[in-house]
């Protein structure tokens, strides 16, 4: 009766209500003897009261979204850094926690540059400023230094309602953008930076994706081509696939410490022009996964090439604080462009990217970053702001973290001594681990590792015997995937196969981070060394045996050159 009462009150004229009520009562009485009552109103759309066992599977509605209807560009996306090896590592780790016996006691995840997950301690001053911004009541606490409080007050003053929980402008908090511009000007020895050309981003990845969205257009032979280094960070190939652009590979010179060869750039460009329109040139410096630091002369040649071929330059400089080799120095693309003269500086379109996730802070989880645009068409820049407005704003806590990186304690401030000590400690440890990684890997027959000049990774080349290659092919997997999978299953060490980053045909690599503590890194490298020798022995039974008695780095390099010339 409640349902009938509800129907009466939804009709407006009283007479009509009475007729409707009488009609429903008569119908209810008639259907009571003929079958189930007719359901009135929205009730007929409900399946909540239908028992599960009574539902007919043959009458189930087809799914709208299936693998057949899924956006094909999404299916084309691959991201090796969190790919199948990492999924397998997670399974093994959960198994260990549940008491499953393995040949190892822990999984060492050396697949990703996640500093804090590897045990690196946060920079105290950065966390103090962000904590004060998140909970201003701490301003009264004597445990927080005055310079941290001063920065937090300045950031909060520019936030809506003086709260970190408010949206910021789509480009980011204004005072933070101004601080970034000052930092860039100081970094580049007086080359001016305009704060209106600074955009805060959700990590560097967000900025890279936003710029690529602006650049990708056309169809068939007019489709945008994006030149990326090989090996590359898989964000680029994934973004290119997602946006439906054309990937143009240019190969870094492994024999010359992963240098960028201008003739290789020209080869890749001319080849690509036959089937697309090359418009974008991406550079990663210092390199990921290769760890090289490009020279100023190399950067000049790249910028001259971009100028001549009218290419838009995207400079991924997130590792600019991570330079370890004494004979290397970070040169920003913007500073080199300025030094080349006004004709270049006023014409080459350049966007550079930075992040809180790397450097000496390693604050990956804050998802803070920025990009600086140079020589972008003003109307296009308006479109960029519109595009950024769609996602409202980057995390404001990440913006606050970015502010500390560009506005650290100065020599006259109370936090300077502790900040400098912590920063130096992190960078010195990374430099030590970079040398350690190179030395131990090069002591292993069948492995060759270029110097880790910068960034956070080694990308050694590994010799894989023909029998192992045949086994991998029979399993429909890349040979270095087979290698990394066996390494994980036998030692618990998780690294990423080089095929996930791209490599020259017939060569095999893996990427590992140098972030674990020196003690854990040494254990990791020794386990890897023993595994590699076992792997060679297992798959080289019908081939010349590899001696494990090599005692020097130079002799092992000679041995590697000898065995790597064998046909594979």
């Amino acid at each position: 009766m409640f349902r009938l009462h509800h129907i009466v009150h939804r009709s407006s004229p009283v007479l009509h209500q009475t007729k409707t009520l009488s009609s429903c009562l008569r119908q209810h009485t008639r259907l009571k003897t003929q079958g189930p009552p007719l359901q009135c109103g929205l009730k007929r759309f409900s399946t909540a009261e239908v028992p599960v066992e009574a539902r007919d599977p043959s009458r189930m509605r087809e799914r709208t979204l299936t693998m057949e209807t899924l956006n094909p560009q999404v299916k084309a996306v691959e991201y090796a850094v969190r790919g199948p090896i990492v999924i397998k590592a997670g399974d093994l780790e959960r198994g260990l926690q549940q008491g499953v016996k393995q040949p190892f006691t822990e999984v060492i995840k050396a697949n990703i540059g996640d500093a804090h997950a590897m045990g690196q301690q946060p920079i105290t001053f950065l966390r103090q400023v962000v904590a004060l911004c998140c909970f201003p009541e701490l301003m009264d606490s004597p445990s927080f230094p005055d310079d941290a409080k001063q920065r937090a007050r300045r950031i909060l003053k520019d936030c809506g309602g003086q709260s970190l929980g408010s949206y910021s402008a789509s480009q980011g908090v204004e005072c933070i953008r101004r601080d970034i511009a000052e930092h860039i000007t100081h970094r580049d020895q007086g080359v001016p930076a305009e704060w209106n050309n600074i955009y805060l981003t959700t990590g560097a990845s967000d900025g890279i994706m936003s710029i690529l969205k602006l650049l990708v257009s056309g169809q068939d032979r007019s489709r945008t081509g994006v030149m990326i280094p090989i090996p590359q960070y898989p964000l680029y190939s994934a973004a290119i696939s997602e946006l439906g652009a054309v990937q143009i590979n240019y190969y870094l010179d492994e024999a010359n410490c992963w240098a960028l060869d201008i003739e290789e750039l020209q080869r890749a460009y001319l080849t690509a022009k036959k089937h697309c329109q090359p418009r974008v040139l991406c550079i990663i410096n210092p390199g990921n996964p290769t760890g090289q630091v490009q020279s100023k002369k190399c950067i000049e040649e790249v910028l001259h090439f971009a100028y001549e071929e009218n290419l838009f330059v995207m400079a991924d400089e997130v590792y600019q604080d991570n330079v370890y080799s004494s004979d290397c120095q970070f040169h920003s693309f913007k500073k080199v462009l300025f030094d080349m003269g006004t004709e270049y500086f006023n014409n080459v379109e350049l966007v550079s990217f930075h992040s809180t996730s790397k450097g000496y802070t390693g604050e990956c989880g804050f998802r803070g970053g920025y990009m600086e645009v140079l020589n972008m068409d003003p109307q296009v820049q308006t479109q960029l702001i519109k595009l950024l407005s769609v996602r409202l704003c980057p995390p404001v806590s990440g913006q606050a973290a970015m502010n500390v990186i560009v506005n650290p304690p100065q020599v006259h401030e109370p936090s300077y001594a502790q900040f400098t000590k912590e920063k130096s400690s992190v960078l010195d440890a990374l430099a030590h681990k970079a040398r350690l990684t190179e030395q131990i890997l090069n002591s292993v027959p069948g492995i060759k590792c270029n110097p880790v000049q910068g960034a956070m990774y080694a990308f050694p080349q590994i010799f894989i015997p023909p029998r192992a290659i045949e086994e991998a092919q029979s399993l429909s997997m890349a040979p270095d995937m087979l290698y990394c999978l066996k390494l994980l299953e036998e030692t618990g060490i998780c690294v990423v196969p080089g095929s996930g980053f791209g490599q020259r045909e017939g060569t095999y690599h893996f990427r590992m981070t140098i972030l674990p503590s020196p003690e854990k890194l040494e254990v990791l490298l020794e386990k890897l060394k023993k595994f590699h020798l076992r792997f060679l022995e297992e798959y080289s039974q019908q081939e010349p045996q590899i001696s494990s008695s090599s005692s020097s780095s130079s002799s092992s390099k000679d041995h590697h050159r000898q065995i790597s010339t064998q046909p594979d």
Side-chain angles (χ1 to χ4, degrees):
M1 290 303 296
F2 171 78
R3 190 183 300 118
L4 297 177
H5 177 71
H6 181 64
I7 294 173
V8 169
H9 283 79
R10 286 188 61 184
S11 304
S12 46
V14 176
L15 182 60
H16 180 66
Q17 289 177 2
T18 307
K19 287 182 178 179
T20 303
L21 178 59
S22 301
S23 173
C24 281
L25 283 170
R26 285 195 302 272
Q27 185 182 49
H28 177 71
T29 304
R30 184 172 63 252
L31 291 176
K32 198 170 183 179
T33 58
Q34 295 177 350
L38 178 67
Q39 294 183 339
C40 302
L42 294 176
K43 182 71 175 176
R44 65 193 177 90
F45 293 108
S46 173
T47 59
E49 295 180 10
V50 180
V52 173
E53 60 273 14
R55 296 178 188 172
D56 182 358
S58 64
R59 299 183 62 188
M60 291 293 286
R61 168 187 169 277
E62 289 186 4
R63 295 186 189 276
T64 300
L65 182 60
T66 66
M67 287 302 293
E68 287 68 36
T69 61
L70 178 68
N71 183 341
Q73 290 167 196
V74 172
K75 284 194 277 190
V77 170
E78 293 183 5
Y79 188 66
V81 175
R82 293 183 181 234
I85 290 282
V86 184
I87 295 170
K88 175 72 173 177
D91 292 341
L92 289 172
E93 194 169 41
R94 284 186 290 275
L96 285 173
Q97 293 167 357
Q98 294 166 8
V100 177
K101 297 296 182 184
Q102 296 290 352
F104 45 85
T105 57
E106 67 171 331
V107 173
I108 303 176
K109 293 181 179 176
N111 61 293
I112 194 167
D114 191 348
H116 293 190
M118 289 290 181
Q120 180 177 311
Q121 294 304 300
I123 298 295
T124 302
F125 186 74
L126 186 149
R127 288 297 182 91
Q128 286 174 332
V129 174
V130 175
L132 288 162
C133 288
C134 289
F135 196 62
E137 287 81 352
L138 294 172
M139 296 284 187
D140 297 328
S141 170
S143 301
F144 289 78
D146 289 340
D147 48 354
K149 292 177 181 178
Q150 179 267 326
R151 282 164 176 75
R153 288 192 188 100
R154 183 165 175 268
I155 293 169
L156 289 173
K157 186 178 178 182
D158 261 20
C159 293
Q162 298 197 15
S163 170
L164 215 62
S166 61
Y167 290 125
S168 75
S170 298
Q171 302 98 310
V173 174
E174 181 175 321
C175 72
I176 298 175
R177 296 166 68 204
R178 289 183 180 274
D179 285 349
I180 292 170
E182 286 185 22
H183 164 78
I184 293 172
T185 301
H186 176 74
R187 180 200 68 186
D188 292 342
Q189 302 167 354
V191 180
E194 169 55 52
W195 73 272
N196 272 317
N197 289 332
I198 307 294
Y199 299 85
L200 276 300
T201 57
T202 307
S205 304
D206 172 49
I208 290 166
M209 194 71 182
S210 296
I211 296 300
L212 283 174
K213 284 179 182 177
L214 296 178
L215 285 157
V216 176
S217 65
Q219 296 294 331
D220 301 323
R221 291 188 63 178
S222 68
R223 193 65 171 159
T224 294
V226 182
M227 302 184 71
I228 63 172
I230 298 297
Q232 53 105 22
Y233 177 50
L235 162 69
Y236 291 92
S237 55
I240 290 167
S241 294
E242 183 178 341
L243 297 172
V246 179
Q247 179 175 317
I248 305 171
N249 297 337
Y250 66 88
Y251 290 88
L252 300 177
D253 185 0
E254 184 171 12
N256 192 22
C257 204
W258 300 112
L260 202 167
D261 178 33
I262 200 68
E263 290 184 4
E264 169 60 15
L265 271 185
Q266 291 168 338
R267 179 207 63 78
Y269 175 82
L270 292 174
T271 303
K273 281 197 74 173
K274 299 172 185 176
H275 60 270
C276 70
Q277 181 56 55
R279 299 175 66 203
V280 191
L281 174 58
C282 299
I283 317 285
I284 309 173
N285 182 52
N288 175 11
T290 46
Q292 88 287 357
V293 180
Q294 302 293 3
S295 68
K296 184 176 182 180
K297 181 178 181 298
C298 173
I299 295 172
E300 286 174 349
E301 290 178 344
V302 169
L303 288 170
H304 176 73
F305 174 76
Y307 174 83
E308 291 293 327
E309 304 298 349
N310 201 30
L311 294 170
F312 191 106
V313 179
M314 296 175 63
D316 183 337
E317 299 177 330
V318 302
Y319 295 100
Q320 58 189 261
D321 291 313
N322 300 103
V323 178
Y324 315 123
S325 296
S326 57
D327 56 347
C328 292
Q329 180 183 348
F330 170 74
H331 300 278
S332 78
F333 269 71
K334 183 184 176 186
K335 174 64 165 61
V336 174
L337 191 62
F338 179 84
D339 291 343
M340 291 172 70
T342 55
E343 185 177 357
Y344 289 91
F345 189 66
N346 293 332
N347 284 287
V348 174
E349 296 154 279
L350 169 69
V351 179
S352 56
F353 306 89
H354 197 16
S355 168
T356 63
S357 301
K358 309 304 175 186
Y360 55 89
T361 56
E363 293 283 9
C364 303
F366 276 115
R367 306 310 300 130
Y370 73 78
M371 58 185 176
E372 180 188 21
V373 303
L374 189 67
N375 296 322
M376 182 177 280
D377 182 298
Q379 290 182 306
V380 173
Q381 207 156 340
T382 300
Q383 294 297 309
L384 172 60
I385 295 171
K386 178 185 75 175
L387 185 64
L388 298 178
S389 299
V390 173
R391 49 88 156 129
L392 297 176
C393 70
V396 184
S397 56
Q399 296 184 47
M402 192 79 246
N403 183 255
V404 179
I405 293 172
V406 300
N407 186 21
Q410 301 302 302
V411 66
H412 61 277
E413 293 183 304
S415 298
Y416 179 79
Q418 182 182 10
F419 173 83
T420 304
K421 180 181 178 182
E422 292 177 354
K423 176 181 176 180
S424 298
S425 176
V426 170
L427 294 176
D428 289 348
L430 285 169
H432 167 69
K433 291 185 285 188
R435 292 189 294 270
L436 179 70
T437 301
E438 177 196 348
Q439 290 167 2
I440 294 181
L441 288 176
N442 279 327
S443 74
V444 185
I447 297 182
K448 182 180 184 299
C449 183
N450 274 319
V452 182
Q453 297 174 331
M456 297 175 173
Y457 315 98
F459 196 67
Q461 184 176 158
I462 50 176
F463 170 70
I464 297 183
R467 286 182 60 236
I469 294 172
E470 291 170 7
E471 181 176 322
Q473 289 171 344
S474 71
L475 297 169
S476 300
M477 68 171 64
D480 46 18
M481 172 67 85
L482 174 70
Y483 180 96
C484 293
L485 189 60
K486 284 183 170 290
L487 174 67
L488 174 63
E489 292 173 341
E490 293 184 26
T491 69
I493 296 171
C494 178
V495 297
V496 189
S499 49
F501 301 88
Q503 54 198 349
R504 282 194 181 275
E505 187 76 24
T507 67
Y508 307 105
H509 303 78
F510 64 80
R511 189 192 80 162
M512 59 165 285
T513 180
I514 62 170
L515 286 172
S517 68
E519 299 76 22
K520 184 167 282 190
L521 182 63
E522 210 156 347
V523 170
L524 182 158
L525 291 168
E526 286 300 326
K527 281 187 171 186
L528 197 155
K529 179 177 180 177
K530 292 176 182 177
F531 164 81
H532 185 79
L533 294 174
R534 288 198 307 272
F535 184 85
L536 289 182
E537 185 176 2
E538 177 184 352
Y539 288 101
S540 302
Q541 292 174 358
Q542 299 173 3
E543 299 163 344
Q545 293 296 304
I546 308 299
S547 170
S548 60
S549 60
S550 175
S551 58
S552 71
S553 176
S554 59
S555 65
S556 68
K557 288 181 183 177
D558 292 340
H559 201 144
H560 174 78
R561 279 192 290 271
Q562 180 184 348
I563 65 173
S564 64
T565 58
Q566 298 180 38
D568 57 5

